[in-house]
Amino acid sequence: MNLLLFRDDLRVHDNPTLAEAARDGFVPVYVFDERDYGETRYGTEKTGAHRARFIRETVEDLRSSLRELGGDLAVRQGRTEEVVASLVDGYGVDTVFLQTKPATEEFGRERAVRETARAEGAETRRLWTHTLHHINDLPTPPERMNDTFTPWRKEVEANDKPRETVDAPDGIDTPSFDDGIPSLDELGLEPSEDDGRGALGFEGGETRALERLEEYIWERDLLREYKETRNRLVGADYSSKLSAWLARGSISPRRVYEEVKRYEDERVSNDSTYWLVFELRWRDFFQFGFVKHGSAFFAPGGIRGVSREWRGRGERFERWCKGTTGVPFVDAAMRELNATGYTSNRARQNVASFLVDVLGVDWRLGAAYFEEKLVDYDVASNWGNWAYQAGVGNDSRDRYFNVLKQGKRYDGDGGFVRTWVEEKEASPNPHEPYAPEGYDAPVVDVRTEYDRLAEERG
């Protein structure tokens, strides 16, 4: 008997772990690990209500898919290694199959599972399943990879082709379970209501992920102009919005790649089709970077060991979190994030730069806040991108975003700001700094701060 521990691979298509475990009778299980639903060292929550809802829906959809194949899914709450030990003992499991991931906590939990399985007399099989390019196929192993994206990308593009996707099993043989899925209340969270202003109502699960892929690429032909639209801020269709499903493994990056290639064969191959694959490789870059650098990604000075004094928690950070800085573009993005669990890549770059470059707040506080709020949170992508923006990660250039100029450039008509910042709803100057409701002034004189940055960094 096998045991399959689902982690961030919550799908039946292109799931090599499922394909191998299902060759015999097996016990599939997903664990709502209690350590994922509590407070972090930074005073934020590990998982907020938006992502928790999305995960619950994803697990429900996975269970439905497994039942359609003739099986079922055990859903448990507790500590993953303890749940696995109990199931190994109770079902006489010989082999535990699981997805392996490189981040510190994730790998620590995996190690604990291996140890408890071994203590119960079972071996463990680990499979790498969450990137476009397989770790064993890279032209240069992660331990020796270039820390700058462009040369790494060019090497991968020249030497590596992703593996083909794996078909879902025709049928599976598992025990039956009558487990319920923990409610948000049981996970210690308050439900959050969608007020209708969000870019996309993210619904968890493989079913919706594949529908979105079909809609975006084929039904609405939006891939054709992806590069031109990807920096927009309002609406559902300026980008693929696949990130949340990729983060939970509800859709395979290789499946996305294959659909892009089919689109190139059947409709058009252009900069936009290339750019969506480019973004998948950007995602891969941080996954493999975590293999190389591990816990260094969480250090104040990052993987480069940059020495800098950072501000800690305080009014600056709290106002940034609430979207009451008095800088409209920043506040709109943070209010969107708080209300929906999502904000665009362009907005994320700007609010991150504002926190670390203008407010001087420890970048790790921002990364931890995003960890709590984002429906599409992925440890490597989130912490890698934050370190990159803070100048302590995979880029030696100490760049910053001028959010006043960025707001006018990417939100010229003020539609994004007016959607989310009520104080600016009727303003003829939507991007002019303002005094948020309850405050006498913006958190800083932002123009003075940009003058300072220009003098310091050129």
Side-chain angles (χ1 to χ4, degrees):
M1 177 72 76
N2 297 327
L3 184 146
L4 169 55
L5 173 63
F6 282 99
R7 303 181 80 191
D8 287 327
D9 53 349
L10 304 178
R11 62 181 185 269
V12 299
H13 79 276
D14 192 30
N15 192 333
T17 320
L18 171 62
E20 288 208 23
R23 290 173 181 169
D24 301 304
F26 72 108
V27 178
V29 61
Y30 180 82
V31 182
F32 285 85
D33 195 294
E34 61 191 33
R35 291 163 292 192
D36 292 332
Y37 299 88
E39 191 171 293
T40 72
R41 58 185 288 196
Y42 304 103
T44 55
E45 295 294 319
K46 288 283 290 182
T47 305
H50 295 297
R51 188 162 75 259
R53 171 198 54 78
F54 188 84
I55 292 171
R56 291 187 72 258
E57 293 170 352
T58 302
V59 173
E60 179 66 47
D61 186 73
L62 175 64
R63 184 167 63 181
S64 295
S65 296
L66 293 174
R67 286 175 174 173
E68 289 177 5
L69 293 173
D72 207 343
L73 177 68
V75 181
R76 303 294 160 86
Q77 190 174 2
R79 289 181 171 252
T80 300
E81 63 271 22
E82 295 174 1
V83 170
V84 168
S86 174
L87 292 172
V88 168
D89 178 59
Y91 286 93
V93 169
D94 301 309
T95 306
V96 175
F97 288 84
L98 77 162
Q99 173 199 52
T100 185
K101 297 195 75 176
T104 309
E105 291 180 1
E106 287 73 9
F107 188 72
R109 199 167 300 173
E110 175 185 314
R111 186 168 54 248
V113 167
R114 294 172 66 192
E115 291 172 355
T116 56
R118 187 184 303 115
E120 296 291 338
E123 66 173 329
T124 302
R125 289 283 310 281
R126 303 176 298 156
L127 286 84
W128 184 276
T129 66
H130 66 291
T131 55
L132 174 61
H133 300 285
H134 195 281
I135 191 170
N136 293 337
D137 299 339
L138 296 174
T140 301
E143 292 79 9
R144 294 190 284 110
M145 69 182 284
N146 198 303
D147 283 335
T148 302
F149 175 66
T150 298
W152 178 85
R153 172 185 58 79
K154 289 180 177 179
E155 183 184 33
V156 169
E157 288 176 342
N159 293 279
D160 187 28
K161 181 180 179 181
R163 297 182 181 185
E164 294 183 358
T165 54
V166 175
D167 291 336
D170 293 327
I172 59 175
D173 177 20
T174 79
S176 296
F177 307 97
D178 58 3
D179 303 335
I181 295 176
S183 66
L184 290 183
D185 183 64
E186 290 171 323
L187 294 172
L189 297 166
E190 293 285 339
S192 57
E193 295 295 330
D194 186 348
D195 64 8
R197 291 179 292 171
L200 183 71
F202 289 98
E203 178 185 346
E206 177 181 19
T207 301
R208 180 61 188 129
L210 295 174
E211 288 175 353
R212 174 62 183 176
L213 183 67
E214 179 74 13
E215 291 169 3
Y216 185 80
I217 293 181
W218 298 105
E219 293 178 12
R220 306 191 65 186
D221 203 28
L222 295 167
L223 177 57
R224 185 182 299 267
E225 297 181 342
Y226 168 69
K227 190 177 181 184
E228 290 75 30
T229 64
R230 64 193 179 91
N231 282 314
R232 292 179 185 172
L233 302 163
V234 179
D237 295 333
Y238 59 79
S239 66
S240 72
K241 302 292 190 299
L242 292 173
S243 57
W245 293 289
L246 284 166
R248 299 284 71 77
S250 297
I251 194 167
S252 156
R254 297 189 300 191
R255 175 65 178 269
V256 177
Y257 176 85
E258 288 184 355
E259 289 299 300
V260 171
K261 291 302 172 183
R262 183 162 73 90
Y263 182 89
E264 289 180 333
D265 290 339
E266 297 181 14
R267 291 193 182 174
V268 65
S269 175
N270 61 16
D271 286 348
S272 289
T273 58
Y274 168 80
W275 210 261
L276 188 58
V277 176
F278 175 98
E279 297 290 0
L280 291 175
R281 291 194 171 110
W282 178 253
R283 177 178 179 270
D284 273 13
F285 179 62
F286 288 120
Q287 306 296 327
F288 298 124
F290 263 72
V291 175
K292 179 177 180 179
H293 294 288
S295 61
F297 267 104
F298 304 100
I303 64 173
R304 294 172 48 220
V306 175
S307 178
R308 178 174 171 182
E309 292 294 323
W310 299 101
R311 285 186 172 89
R313 296 187 70 99
E315 182 185 7
R316 291 186 174 203
F317 177 64
E318 298 303 327
R319 288 182 64 173
W320 178 85
C321 291
K322 292 187 293 185
T324 55
T325 67
V327 180
F329 192 37
V330 172
D331 291 351
M334 295 306 295
R335 294 183 193 187
E336 180 186 33
L337 174 64
N338 292 334
T340 70
Y342 183 85
T343 194
S344 70
N345 180 62
R346 176 59 53 179
R348 295 182 201 196
Q349 291 174 310
N350 274 272
V351 299
S353 176
F354 187 79
L355 184 72
V356 300
D357 296 312
V358 175
L359 301 184
V361 173
D362 190 336
W363 67 274
R364 297 173 301 166
L365 288 171
Y369 191 73
F370 270 33
E371 178 174 354
E372 173 184 331
K373 295 297 181 180
L374 284 174
V375 71
D376 62 3
Y377 172 76
D378 168 84
V379 57
S381 294
N382 182 67
W383 288 85
N385 274 295
W386 265 95
Y388 183 93
Q389 188 59 56
V392 301
N394 295 86
D395 193 350
S396 59
R397 294 169 293 179
D398 199 6
R399 299 178 297 178
Y400 64 91
F401 286 82
N402 184 318
V403 299
L404 298 178
K405 293 179 180 178
Q406 289 271 306
K408 292 176 181 177
R409 177 178 178 182
Y410 293 103
D411 186 36
D413 64 357
F416 178 60
V417 164
R418 290 193 178 98
T419 297
W420 292 103
V421 181
E422 292 83 354
E423 297 94 325
K424 286 288 185 177
E425 196 168 9
S427 172
N429 300 305
H431 292 287
E432 185 68 18
Y434 71 108
E437 184 177 352
Y439 296 91
D440 295 329
V443 66
V444 294
D445 183 334
V446 68
R447 289 190 171 89
T448 298
E449 291 299 320
Y450 282 122
D451 288 342
R452 172 185 61 81
L453 285 169
E455 185 176 343
E456 288 178 358
R457 305 185 192 181

